[in-house]
Amino acid sequence: MANRVTVASVIAAVGIVAVIGTMATVTSADDNDGNMLSSVKVSTVCAFTRYPEKCEQSLKHVVSDTSSPEDVFRDALNVALDEVSTAFQRSAHIGKDAQDKLSRNAMDVCKKLLDDATEDLRALARVKPADVVRHVKDLRVWVSGIMTYVYTCADGFEKPELKEAMDKVLQNSTELSSNALAILTRLGDLMPGKAKDLQATLAGAVGHDRRLLGWQIGDAEEVTSGGRGLLDEIVGVANGRRLLSSLGSRISSAQGDDVLARHQLLGVSPDDETDNAARRNLLSTELESIASTSAEANRQLLAAEELPDELAGKRELLSRTLMGIDEAATEAKRQLDEATTENTMSGDHRVLTTGLIGTFDEIQDGRSGVPPSDFPKWLPATQRRLLQQTQKPNTVVAQDGSGDFKTITEAITAVPNTFEGRFVIYVKAGTYKEYVTVPKNMANIFMYGDGPTQTVVTGDKSNAGGFATFASATFSAEGNGFICKSMGFVNTAGPEGHQAVAMHVQGDKSVFYNCRFEGYQDTLYVHANRQFFRDCEVLGTVDFIFGNSAALFQNCLMTVRKPGDSQSNMVTAQGRTDPNMPTGIVLQGCRIVPEQALFPDRLQIATYLGRPWKEYARTVVMESTIGDLIRPEGWAEWMGDLGLKTLYYAEYANTGPGAGTSKRVNWPGYHVIGQADATPFTAGAFIDGASWLQSTGTPNVMGFTKG
């Protein structure tokens, strides 16, 4: 019966893909280069931006009357590129006479971040117009990352006069980048003809709704028997065959594109030793695309302000259907990948394999710290087995000389520039006192240890010690597609060190599984792009999870420590600076508890879920267990009324003595939400997890962790 359900789900999902294929093909005509022929006026485009006058002024000399919205977006990127690339030269006088270590360090950090921003802008400005439409979600994340690098540059200065001077120099860079992001975000609105065609296509799909729902409620018999007819019908109308047959070529072309490939998480090349292996890989990719497309359709459905009359009142029903298709296709892919793994797991060909649709595992109450064992006792036996299944390493690090290198930095430096696929580094048990950076140009590193308290990287840099927050990190993961498993990261500066980062994460599509991050203030810096944390523990005091990535924590433990004198505890401090940024911090299925040292004083020392670091801060806590250490008001101010009207703080389906919302803050930006409003913050939607998270082999839940 399980196989029949899987087959039925794939049939239904293919139908959805075909319908969505029609949405993509019923658009404005293309020219020979794939450029959209529709054109827009500069004033129309700039009306969507936050700085319309500056937008028009910057684009009027580079945009013509025949420019398409995609062309305008690329022109806006080029304008921002010109501004950012010269910003550092114009700021060379700032702090040049400073004698203190912190200011000099901030200048070094600023140069590095502006170089990163320039490099990314230059790459994105080369994206083809057709790829702009195809990769809108990715581009929004990457442009937001660029904007984050720019403001992080100024934030590194402690002295108010230096920070103010740098902010002024970077103002144009910030505003022009914001305009590019706004144009990208409203790209659909700039193509009114497409929007009408999309609505008509959705309305035409309503007739198939009941049969899809039949599968969704478990009626596999009905869908299996009628599914092939449904598939043939939809495929004939929507050119579904062409869509499915092009999946492989689309993936190949995407990987071959020098610009986009730099940002994509590329999996290991398929095993082409046999035709069967190649077919399995192709089918796996197609299933992943089905799941991704269903998730995208669901996001568009939930985001639409108005629906056609035929769909009125059916939003939630259709959303559940699409979510079901997403999860079913993902489950089918998991079964296929698992079967493939069983055939290949022998001797030296073991691979990292995990259940791709995980289950929510409760963490026992009152735990503080991870026991000193290979695997935490609170992990279920099934997940302990998963942690033991690991790909053979390319390089081994061991302090006792039994590996290839004695330090992690040496192992990273030795990674070949020409290596294709995922490079695996095994770090044996030990305490590694070093500062490690996985550089921006080094993608797809998989690093694992012997356990989060056995393999530990430690450092003690801090703001009080003369380092900008960015530069204080013990470990910095800047390369895209970084995966880390069973390791610990510590900053030992203590409360007196103030800002002292244990882990800084900048790379897109980064994953941490069974890891531990220990510090006090600013422990975990989720800086930019997209990150996923599963079965991890984060320990800290003030703003100990902070940054401006799209970061989702699933089944994690947030252990609040005893702070310094006169300090309060803040679990999060999110740094979203623009309403168009698709960023935020999401805690899902997590537990927020005090450490043992704090427990006696937990009701006297104020602890909050978070505070708004920046004007448009966004944090969602859902399906989590909140201890009684959290104050009834739940959230704290940063500085007066900064962000209180523009932030987005939300809570959904939380439990525990600190989860009551009746006495929460009454700010305009605070919300107690239902499932429909919480759906955009699940892994499948918020970090686009269906399109990339499965390939990492990390347990995950695409939707909600509870029924």
Side-chain angles (χ1 to χ4, degrees), residues 543 546-547 570 572-576 608-619 634-649 665 667 669:
D543 308 332
F546 76 110
M570 311 287 170
T572 66
Q574 209 279 325
R576 187 165 166 255
Y608 302 91
L609 295 173
R611 58 176 178 167
W613 180 26
K614 300 295 181 181
E615 187 177 3
Y616 293 92
R618 182 161 63 174
T619 302
W635 307 84
E637 298 174 357
W638 180 274
M639 186 183 300
D641 62 356
L642 173 68
L644 302 189
K645 295 180 180 179
T646 51
L647 60 78
Y648 184 89
Y649 281 167
V665 294
W667 305 335

Side-chain angles (χ1 to χ4, degrees), residues 84-162:
V84 174
S85 61
T86 60
F88 191 79
Q89 283 71 28
R90 296 201 311 273
S91 66
H93 66 284
I94 299 175
K96 67 176 183 179
D97 297 326
Q99 299 298 314
D100 63 294
K101 180 180 178 181
L102 183 57
S103 296
R104 293 197 303 271
N105 182 250
M107 286 298 296
D108 293 339
V109 167
C110 199
K111 183 179 187 307
K112 183 239 186 293
L113 289 167
L114 293 181
D115 284 345
D116 286 352
T118 301
E119 179 184 342
D120 284 0
L121 276 169
R122 185 172 290 115
L124 298 188
R126 294 197 302 268
V127 173
K128 299 175 182 177
D131 284 333
V132 171
V133 178
R134 188 178 302 123
H135 294 281
V136 165
K137 296 189 301 295
D138 292 327
L139 290 168
R140 287 185 66 205
V141 170
W142 299 334
V143 174
S144 298
I146 291 166
M147 295 172 66
T148 302
Y149 303 156
V150 172
Y151 84 64
T152 305
C153 161
D155 280 353
F157 293 92
E158 272 303 294
K159 293 183 176 180
E161 65 275 15
L162 296 182

Side-chain angles (χ1 to χ4, degrees), residues 321-336:
T321 302
L322 289 166
M323 287 176 60
I325 292 170
D326 173 15
E327 293 181 0
T330 302
E331 173 62 15
K333 180 182 183 300
R334 184 195 69 77
Q335 293 179 21
L336 177 67

Side-chain angles (χ1 to χ4, degrees), residues 203-528:
V206 174
H208 306 296
D209 188 43
R210 288 188 62 189
R211 275 168 288 185
L212 293 176
L213 287 176
W215 161 79
Q216 196 253 349
I217 61 176
D219 190 358
E221 295 288 343
E222 177 186 350
V223 178
T224 303
S225 60
R228 295 193 181 278
L230 167 65
L231 175 60
D232 290 340
E233 178 184 354
I234 295 177
V235 165
V237 174
N239 297 317
R241 285 193 183 94
R242 184 178 65 179
L243 178 69
L244 288 176
S245 65
S246 67
L247 284 173
S249 61
R250 292 214 320 264
I251 292 163
S252 298
S253 64
Q255 292 183 352
D257 190 308
D258 289 340
V259 176
L260 293 173
R262 289 179 63 257
H263 292 85
Q264 297 293 348
L265 173 60
L266 304 180
V268 178
S269 301
D271 178 6
D272 57 3
E273 293 181 2
T274 66
D275 291 339
N276 286 338
R279 282 196 294 270
R280 282 195 299 267
N281 277 278
L282 179 59
L283 179 56
S284 177
T285 300
E286 291 176 348
L287 287 168
E288 183 175 335
S289 181
I290 290 170
S292 175
T293 309
S294 301
E296 171 61 17
N298 187 40
R299 280 193 294 272
Q300 293 186 15
L301 177 69
L302 294 173
E305 295 182 2
E306 296 183 7
L307 293 178
D309 293 339
E310 294 87 345
L311 295 182
K314 298 182 180 180
R315 188 195 301 262
E316 186 173 348
L317 193 62
L318 291 173
S319 177
R320 287 201 302 269
T321 302
L322 289 166
M323 287 176 60
I325 292 170
D326 173 15
E327 293 181 0
T330 302
E331 173 62 15
K333 180 182 183 300
R334 184 195 69 77
Q335 293 179 21
L336 177 67
D337 292 345
E338 194 173 70
T340 303
T341 297
E342 289 175 356
N343 292 332
T344 58
M345 274 188 66
S346 61
D348 291 338
H349 292 86
R350 293 179 299 166
V351 295
L352 173 65
T353 59
T354 63
L356 299 181
I357 297 295
T359 57
F360 174 66
D361 302 302
E362 288 288 342
I363 301 173
Q364 295 179 358
D365 289 318
R367 189 174 78 83
S368 62
V370 178
S373 58
D374 286 346
F375 301 111
K377 293 180 180 178
W378 50 272
L379 273 181
T382 54
Q383 292 203 15
R384 292 193 200 188
R385 287 194 295 272
L386 294 177
L387 288 170
Q388 293 169 337
Q389 297 175 356
T390 305
Q391 183 172 335
K392 181 181 177 182
N394 300 96
T395 293
V396 177
V397 180
Q399 288 180 324
D400 62 5
S402 60
D404 302 301
F405 302 99
K406 290 186 176 182
T407 69
I408 300 171
T409 299
E410 289 175 322
I412 291 173
T413 303
V415 175
N417 292 330
T418 57
F419 187 84
E420 295 182 0
R422 188 169 293 288
F423 194 89
V424 182
I425 301 174
Y426 167 41
V427 186
K428 288 188 175 183
T431 299
Y432 295 82
K433 297 180 180 180
E434 56 178 307
Y435 298 95
V436 181
T437 296
V438 177
K440 195 170 182 291
N441 63 351
M442 191 173 290
N444 301 310
I445 297 294
F446 171 36
M447 185 178 297
Y448 70 96
D450 286 326
T453 62
Q454 300 297 299
T455 300
V456 179
V457 188
T458 183
D460 63 0
K461 289 181 179 179
S462 68
N463 196 255
F467 294 92
T469 303
F470 179 93
S472 69
T474 299
F475 194 108
S476 183
E478 299 179 7
N480 291 340
F482 179 74
I483 301 176
C484 187
K485 187 184 80 168
S486 302
M487 292 182 65
F489 306 90
V490 181
N491 191 309
T492 62
E496 61 275 10
H498 302 295
Q499 296 95 325
V501 176
M503 168 62 72
H504 162 255
V505 193
Q506 180 178 315
D508 192 23
K509 299 179 180 177
S510 297
V511 173
F512 295 85
Y513 176 38
N514 188 42
C515 290
R516 189 170 187 263
F517 311 95
E518 180 182 346
Y520 284 86
Q521 182 172 349
D522 292 0
T523 302
L524 178 55
Y525 193 176
V526 287
H527 189 198

